[in-house]
Amino acid sequence: MNKIAYSAFIAFVASLLTLVSVNALSESERDDRDDAGLESITLAELAEHDSAESCWKAIHGRVYDITEYVPNHPTEEEVLLEWCGRESTEGWDNKRPGVPHSPRAEAMLERYLIGRLVDDTGEPLEPGPGEPTGAMPERQAEAMSPAQDERLARALLGLPLDGHYRGVFTDRGSIQVNITFDLRDGHIESLAYRYLAYRGVDYLALEEGDELYPVMLQHRQIAERLEGAPITRIFALYEPASLVDDIDGYSGATLRGAKVISAIRDALNRGVYAWP
Amino acid sequence: MRRLPRPGDSALIVVLLLPLAVALPRLGGLGGPPELWLTWVGRVTGILGLAMMLLAGLVSCRVPGFDRPFGGLARLWRLHHWLGFAAFILVMVHILALGLAAVPASLDAAVATLFPPPSQAAIWLGWLAWVAMVVFLAPTFDFFGKPHYQRWKRLHLVSAVALLLGLWHALLLAGEAWPWWLLGIAGLGAIAWRKGVAPQRRHPYRIEQVVPLARGVVELVLRPEESGIRHEVGQFVYLTPLDERLAAGRGEEHPYTIASAPSDSRLRIGIKDLGDASRALQTVTPETRVLIEGPYGEFFERRFPQRDMLWLGGGIGITPFVAGARNLGAGSVPDGHVHLFYLANSPDRAYYQEEFCEIAERIEGFDYTQHYYRDRGPLTEAFLREHCPDFVEREIYLCGPPGMNAYLQRLLIEQGIPVSRIHSEVFDFL
């Protein structure tokens, strides 16, 4: 037994060393592709590919066409499709809250690389991993998640007008969230749900004691917490924990702050529904 | 005759498979491309490896009586050893499989899976656990030669650190945490009991008499200071002498077989000078204190209670049979007839002979035969048959030096006696 243990130990250490050294020696051949050589893709182009038929995602400044991979992803398809056609770094870095995707997943992702994300003037929206960042130390130090960056949020929204708004989030042909609110000086007021449903369950009709009642409460909490907040605050919903007291057990599967964001943005895109 | 698995073994297997059973639904299947089945193998070996580590910790608790469902402490220690060995191998398969599973993606990914950025603490906790494991298992498996016993024992305590780190690693990554809490508390609790609580609960005895039996062999007669222990025939205890004049082994615990009958108000222990500590005990001062922990073992376990018994004892291995004979002498009724063969080199080494003769004369169900190696060479089948014609039909108990044990096992098995009918307890785990 002692000899087997010793041999296994030596074989194990040798295998590890081989793996590491082979990797180190072959490193020079496989540098990351240079971002400058990648096709430029704007947010508008990205937004066109927002479904299972064609799903593009922007992650850390690069755009990936993961359409082929969608059926192979271990979690429910819907979770994955939610992020199609938009900036998805947040979802990528939070497979579970605070847990990023594995290095293996990262390597697989690179197979689907099709371009880099640029703004309307053609400037990259986020420095890619291959781009030297030493020249802009302050920018690197300030790099924060899109959920917190108010200036980025304002730029993305283009400062909406004050008034009464209505918007919806629909998926696969049915409405899930229908929301209404007023904007005053860029702040949300009287936010309410006109309709809230998922998989045939009408959440607004739920009563205390129903299994999904806590989810309805969470949505109410969202409405309460957003009352009087600047419109840019809606991006905090990408991290529901920052707005809702108890997200345990619901954060991943049921409560989707992103749907509420989507409905609010839909309202803003439609423009003012009625003047105040 | 097919025997049922021992209850302890069955329970151990259930607990061992619990974390795997809970996690299995979310691990997917074993099929598919290499990266998928390697991931599956990596996770399953990780789960089993940690569960085995924690159970190895659990079975090391040495609570008196806990060893019985496992067939005695000697067997439980062997189980402990095997669990530790299997865990060590499985943990390395776990690491390699998960690393290799990322190779189809890229070599970079494989290396990054095993050596991720420092922010991924869960992986690095796993590595620390592995390092701790190597530290305490390397001397166990004699990687660098045989270590000194007491030093090995101290190093083996690093296992608690390894368990703690391994558990932390699993809790950060596991889907369901409760099986790990359960096993973790059991494993670490057992170590805490062994090292923290158990030493406080030893039974104090006084050495009433040191009876010299032969050169290098004494029998200690111990008087309990409080209630003392209750034991069965064939069991052993851990004895810690406190005599300050001892040349070696003061405060160290070592196992010795009990030679007294359970009804005896004194605890008698036969000790041969096989090591530093037992040599020093030959001249231990009477009326000094010793601490006793136990009893352990199940030497006289009956698997075939309807059969007569054959006892074969030699050297200091005669002690469990001394206890057995004294028990019969004290009026205990045996299950069937007992025939004892005392294998000694020469009359001066047959130090319990007179007592056996006396009991055999008095007790009807007990026969006694003396065999001298110097006169007759090794025990033969013919000698056995001459004195005990039905020996192949009996349930056989043997205890003696390792060479004698191996020789007798071979001799008996050649007579067509099934292994299940031969009992022997070897203390080679010390």
Side-chain angles (χ1 to χ4, degrees):
Chain A
M1 192 194 274
N2 293 359
K3 275 184 190 159
I4 298 173
Y6 188 64
S7 313
F9 173 72
I10 296 297
F12 172 73
V13 174
S15 310
L16 278 187
L17 289 177
T18 308
L19 185 65
V20 171
S21 52
V22 164
N23 180 55
L25 292 171
S26 57
E27 199 119 274
S28 50
E29 299 165 22
R30 43 187 330 291
D31 276 349
D32 281 350
R33 272 187 269 177
D34 188 4
D35 271 28
L38 291 171
E39 196 190 327
S40 299
I41 294 167
T42 62
L43 277 169
E45 286 170 282
L46 176 68
E48 287 168 24
H49 303 271
D50 62 350
S51 67
E53 284 72 50
S54 178
C55 177
W56 291 11
K57 292 184 179 187
I59 295 165
H60 291 303
R62 288 176 163 191
V63 179
Y64 303 90
D65 177 0
I66 62 152
T67 315
E68 275 179 40
Y69 181 69
V70 171
N72 301 329
H73 195 268
T75 49
E76 242 175 273
E77 214 168 81
E78 196 191 317
V79 177
L80 200 61
L81 292 178
E82 211 170 273
W83 296 95
C84 294
R86 54 199 191 88
E87 164 56 52
S88 314
T89 308
E90 192 66 25
W92 180 260
D93 288 344
N94 293 280
K95 186 172 74 173
R96 278 185 277 143
V99 179
H101 278 73
S102 66
R104 201 173 110 209
E106 232 161 76
M108 283 167 72
L109 182 67
E110 288 310 312
R111 291 188 207 154
Y112 302 106
L113 180 65
I114 53 166
R116 59 180 181 142
L117 190 64
V118 295
D119 62 15
D120 293 339
T121 62
E123 285 300 306
L125 272 171
E126 192 186 317
E131 200 171 312
T133 47
M136 300 178 288
E138 297 131 339
R139 200 173 153 188
Q140 195 182 19
E142 279 171 21
M144 51 168 82
S145 93
Q148 295 169 326
D149 191 343
E150 191 168 327
R151 282 176 305 162
L152 174 62
R154 281 187 177 278
L156 287 169
L157 287 172
L159 292 176
L161 297 169
D162 282 1
H164 183 62
Y165 287 84
R166 279 184 184 181
V168 295
F169 171 79
T170 67
D171 193 25
R172 301 187 192 185
S174 60
I175 294 179
Q176 292 190 7
V177 182
N178 184 356
I179 209 162
T180 164
F181 60 92
D182 291 335
L183 264 194
R184 235 171 277 285
D185 295 325
H187 287 67
I188 298 173
E189 283 184 19
S190 329
L191 187 143
Y193 299 98
R194 292 177 61 78
Y195 188 66
L196 191 61
Y198 182 56
R199 293 201 166 164
V201 177
D202 183 355
Y203 280 69
L204 296 181
L206 292 177
E207 287 174 10
E208 207 165 341
D210 287 342
E211 193 190 345
L212 293 169
Y213 185 72
V215 180
M216 206 274 283
L217 282 187
Q218 288 170 338
H219 280 85
R220 271 206 194 139
Q221 238 170 34
I222 291 176
E224 283 165 24
R225 303 278 157 90
L226 286 177
E227 188 69 26
I231 185 69
T232 48
R233 179 76 176 140
I234 63 171
F235 291 98
L237 284 175
Y238 281 130
E239 292 162 352
S242 62
L243 273 185
V244 178
D245 291 340
D246 176 19
I247 60 156
D248 187 42
Y250 297 102
S251 57
T254 324
L255 173 65
R256 300 222 203 288
K259 292 182 180 177
V260 180
I261 302 173
S262 186
I264 294 174
R265 296 190 64 182
D266 178 60
L268 295 168
N269 285 338
R270 290 170 182 213
V272 174
Y273 178 77
W275 299 109
Chain B
M1 183 177 148
R2 219 182 122 79
R3 285 181 306 121
L4 291 169
R6 296 173 196 270
D9 293 1
S10 311
L12 204 63
I13 289 170
V14 169
V15 180
L16 171 66
L17 294 178
L18 177 73
L20 183 62
V22 170
L24 214 48
R26 66 164 72 225
L27 295 185
L30 182 52
E35 58 260 41
L36 284 185
W37 68 256
L38 276 170
T39 305
W40 189 89
V41 168
R43 288 181 177 160
V44 168
T45 47
I47 290 168
L48 281 178
L50 181 60
M52 282 185 175
M53 280 269 286
L54 291 168
L55 287 182
L58 172 65
V59 300
S60 73
C61 65
R62 223 179 74 194
V63 175
F66 181 81
D67 58 324
R68 302 293 293 268
F70 298 90
L73 193 64
R75 188 168 174 278
L76 196 56
W77 277 127
R78 273 202 300 283
L79 261 173
H80 169 84
H81 197 69
W82 273 105
L83 282 170
F85 169 76
F88 184 57
I89 302 286
L90 284 176
V91 163
M92 291 191 291
V93 174
H94 159 70
I95 299 170
L96 273 188
L98 288 180
L100 290 177
V103 169
S106 81
L107 268 181
D108 274 333
V111 173
T113 301
L114 295 181
F115 308 100
S119 58
Q120 294 199 34
I123 309 296
W124 289 107
L125 281 169
W127 275 115
L128 285 178
W130 178 77
V131 169
M133 201 172 180
V134 170
V135 167
F136 86 84
L137 283 183
T140 301
F141 296 127
D142 298 349
F143 281 13
F144 314 107
K146 223 167 180 47
H148 183 261
Y149 176 68
Q150 294 299 332
R151 229 191 89 193
W152 166 83
K153 214 167 164 179
R154 277 196 300 276
L155 261 181
H156 215 65
L157 259 184
V158 177
S159 59
V161 179
L163 288 190
L164 210 59
L165 290 167
L167 199 62
W168 198 354
H169 166 74
L171 283 173
L172 288 176
L173 297 169
E176 284 85 5
W178 66 265
W180 293 120
W181 282 112
L182 193 80
L183 261 73
I185 289 168
L188 288 164
I191 296 175
W193 164 273
R194 177 76 251 122
K195 294 296 169 188
V197 182
Q200 315 302 321
R201 294 169 55 99
R202 292 172 178 153
H203 298 267
Y205 279 71
R206 288 255 172 216
I207 299 177
E208 197 169 75
Q209 223 182 327
V210 182
V211 185
L213 297 174
R215 188 171 41 77
V217 186
V218 292
E219 186 175 283
L220 300 187
V221 182
L222 307 176
R223 182 180 69 241
E225 288 198 331
E226 292 160 15
S227 59
I229 59 161
R230 297 169 155 277
H231 73 277
E232 290 175 21
V233 168
Q235 289 196 295
F236 64 95
V237 291
Y238 277 80
L239 179 145
T240 310
L242 299 179
D243 179 7
E244 288 180 4
R245 272 171 284 181
L246 277 178
R250 191 174 74 88
E252 288 175 14
E253 51 169 25
H254 292 275
Y256 300 101
T257 303
I258 303 168
S260 51
S263 55
D264 197 334
S265 65
R266 299 292 181 262
L267 199 64
R268 292 166 205 273
I269 290 172
I271 295 173
K272 182 171 163 48
D273 59 348
L274 293 169
D276 294 346
S278 52
R279 186 165 306 121
L281 274 177
Q282 304 291 319
T283 53
V284 68
T285 316
E287 287 308 317
T288 54
R289 287 175 92 198
V290 297
L291 299 176
I292 295 288
E293 196 175 345
Y296 304 104
E298 202 177 25
F299 182 67
F300 281 112
E301 174 201 22
R302 296 301 315 256
R303 287 185 205 143
F304 304 91
Q306 72 282 11
R307 288 179 187 262
D308 290 339
M309 284 186 271
L310 172 65
W311 295 356
L312 299 168
I316 196 63
I318 197 66
T319 41
F321 304 114
V322 176
R326 283 173 172 169
N327 192 37
L328 297 177
S332 168
V333 182
D335 308 330
H337 185 267
V338 176
H339 195 133
L340 167 65
F341 284 74
Y342 188 177
L343 314 184
N345 188 42
S346 54
D348 60 314
R349 300 308 294 170
Y351 26 83
Y352 282 110
Q353 186 191 19
E354 279 174 30
E355 199 170 349
F356 287 142
C357 286
E358 185 267 319
I359 296 171
E361 267 172 35
R362 257 190 319 121
I363 307 295
E364 199 169 322
F366 178 67
D367 278 338
Y368 164 68
T369 305
Q370 183 64 51
H371 177 275
Y372 293 124
Y373 182 89
R374 202 180 57 186
D375 300 342
R376 295 174 176 272
L379 183 74
T380 59
E381 182 264 334
F383 185 88
L384 269 175
R385 195 173 295 284
E386 181 191 337
H387 294 88
C388 182
D390 65 340
F391 79 95
V392 290
E393 301 302 323
R394 296 186 174 225
E395 183 160 27
I396 300 170
Y397 296 83
L398 53 98
C399 188
M404 188 195 105
N405 262 359
Y407 171 79
L408 290 180
Q409 290 260 12
R410 217 166 39 240
L411 182 135
L412 295 169
I413 288 166
E414 278 168 11
Q415 298 308 309
I417 299 168
V419 181
S420 62
R421 214 154 15 96
I422 306 172
H423 301 257
S424 116
E425 209 167 52
V426 185
F427 295 172
D428 59 357
F429 52 90
L430 302 162

